[in-house]
Amino acid sequence: MKFQASILRILKSPSLAVFRPISRPTLQLRACPSCGQSWLPRRRYAHTPADDPSYESIVDNPPLLVKQNQKHGPGLILLVAIPAIAFGLGTWQIFRLKWKTELIARFEDRILRPPLPLPPRVDPDAIKDFDYRRVDATGVFRHDQEMLIGPRVHDGKDGFLVVTPLQREDGCTILVNRGWIPKKLKRQADRKAGLPMGPVTVEGLLREPWKKNMFTPNNKPELGEFYFPDVEQMAKFIGSDPIWVEETMQPDLIKAYDREAAGIPIGRPAAVNLRNNHTQYIFTW
């Protein structure tokens, strides 16, 4: 008995009020004071959703689809097409990378070979198989038919590329890109040291004709204005063969400064200058 009394006191303690069971309120009939009719008061709170008279389950009121039997819009088609196009471009750049790597390796192999004497007659259609091949040719420069291509920038300075026809002993004439000169020495009278007379031997790279892009203006040969090395046009203008040779020189900073001051064209180094950014393009796509 004492044990039971102790348990009752503990249960009645205020600190254990949270453990007391919640008693549900009992509903009692109420009588209308005027007519005496009994009625049951509305319960204000429901212990479960089913106890609420206004509750509707998903079975009683199933959801309706907003769109039915409608075609996909252009936005969804575009979202699906973007990754497909990017994947295709990335795959294409993989093939481009392989092609450019093999092309550079082939050109570098040609440059490492000793210079080849340029034949008296060169078939323009065969130049593609000898692109970047080192050659040498002997003849006389025709300075009276000199053409300047520009503007061209070299080490941050404006200037021009000097293209001079080389008349060979057999009568064949080729175009020689001798190199870059500063803009202030555009006139031949200001660079007499860069106008060799008599027979000369030129060593350079036999190059395939250049391709013009859409942003370069058209040449005006009748005005002496050349913006792009159009080999076919320039050869036809002066009556030479459409053979383009780029004169080369050993990279030497001191020698380049001396040539610039004297008006002697600065030739290009014997190296392949093709850009190969296809690896970057692959990761970009």
Side-chain angles (χ1 to χ4, degrees), residues 122-143:
V122 180
D123 184 5
D125 296 332
I127 295 179
K128 182 178 181 181
D129 299 329
F130 293 89
D131 197 11
Y132 274 95
R133 185 67 169 86
R134 294 173 61 191
V135 296
D136 57 44
T138 302
V140 178
F141 278 130
R142 293 291 306 271
H143 299 293

Side-chain angles (χ1 to χ4, degrees):
M1 297 297 292
K2 293 182 180 181
F3 178 74
Q4 293 179 357
S6 300
I7 295 298
L8 291 175
R9 284 196 301 270
I10 292 174
L11 293 175
K12 293 180 180 181
S13 174
S15 61
L16 297 178
V18 69
F19 297 101
R20 296 176 185 174
I22 300 175
S23 60
R24 296 183 177 181
T26 57
L27 300 179
Q28 297 179 357
L29 294 175
R30 296 183 182 180
C32 181
S34 58
C35 62
Q37 185 178 359
S38 301
W39 56 280
L40 183 65
R42 177 181 293 183
R43 297 175 59 180
R44 295 184 178 180
Y45 302 99
H47 293 279
T48 61
D51 295 335
D52 189 353
S54 62
Y55 172 75
E56 294 181 358
S57 67
I58 192 172
V59 178
D60 300 330
N61 188 16
L64 299 177
L65 296 177
V66 178
K67 294 183 178 181
Q68 296 180 356
N69 300 326
Q70 293 187 4
K71 297 182 179 180
H72 298 299
L76 181 59
I77 298 177
L78 181 62
L79 290 177
V80 176
I82 288 177
I85 295 174
F87 177 79
L89 291 175
T91 305
W92 176 61
Q93 289 298 331
I94 293 177
F95 292 101
R96 291 280 295 175
L97 174 63
K98 180 181 179 181
W99 167 77
K100 184 61 72 65
T101 303
E102 294 177 353
L103 183 65
I104 293 176
R106 183 163 61 251
F107 289 164
E108 288 179 347
D109 177 70
R110 294 174 183 175
I111 287 180
L112 294 177
R113 298 180 183 180
L116 177 69
L118 194 66
R121 293 291 177 180
V122 180
D123 184 5
D125 296 332
I127 295 179
K128 182 178 181 181
D129 299 329
F130 293 89
D131 197 11
Y132 274 95
R133 185 67 169 86
R134 294 173 61 191
V135 296
D136 57 44
T138 302
V140 178
F141 278 130
R142 293 291 306 271
H143 299 293
D144 57 322
Q145 296 180 339
E146 178 185 87
M147 293 169 285
L148 301 180
I149 302 177
R152 289 293 187 274
V153 179
H154 178 75
D155 290 340
K157 301 178 182 179
D158 291 336
F160 299 92
L161 294 179
V162 180
V163 179
T164 307
L166 180 68
Q167 186 173 354
R168 307 174 67 187
E169 296 178 355
D170 55 2
C172 173
T173 303
I174 63 175
L175 299 176
V176 178
N177 178 14
R178 301 182 59 202
W180 179 87
I181 60 171
K183 184 178 180 179
K184 62 181 180 180
L185 299 179
K186 179 179 179 180
R187 297 192 312 162
Q188 290 187 355
D190 298 332
R191 47 183 172 90
K192 293 182 179 181
L195 304 175
M197 300 297 178
V200 295
T201 299
V202 176
E203 181 177 329
L205 301 179
L206 183 64
R207 293 301 315 278
E208 190 178 4
W210 296 56
K211 296 181 180 180
K212 180 179 177 296
N213 57 47
M214 59 182 300
F215 302 103
T216 304
N218 296 325
N219 295 334
K220 299 178 181 179
E222 64 280 359
L223 300 179
E225 298 178 1
F226 297 91
Y227 306 98
F228 179 79
D230 190 335
V231 178
E232 297 287 343
Q233 182 189 49
M234 299 172 72
K236 185 178 180 180
F237 178 69
I238 63 172
S240 69
D241 294 335
I243 308 300
W244 180 270
V245 175
E246 296 183 350
E247 188 174 2
T248 58
M249 59 173 287
Q250 292 292 334
D252 190 332
L253 186 60
I254 303 300
K255 188 176 182 180
Y257 284 153
D258 294 339
R259 280 175 168 253
E260 179 180 351
I264 303 174
I266 302 175
R268 58 162 296 171
V272 180
N273 55 1
L274 297 179
R275 293 184 299 176
N276 189 4
N277 298 328
H278 297 289
T279 302
Q280 179 182 351
Y281 298 152
I282 292 173
F283 288 101
T284 299
W285 293 114

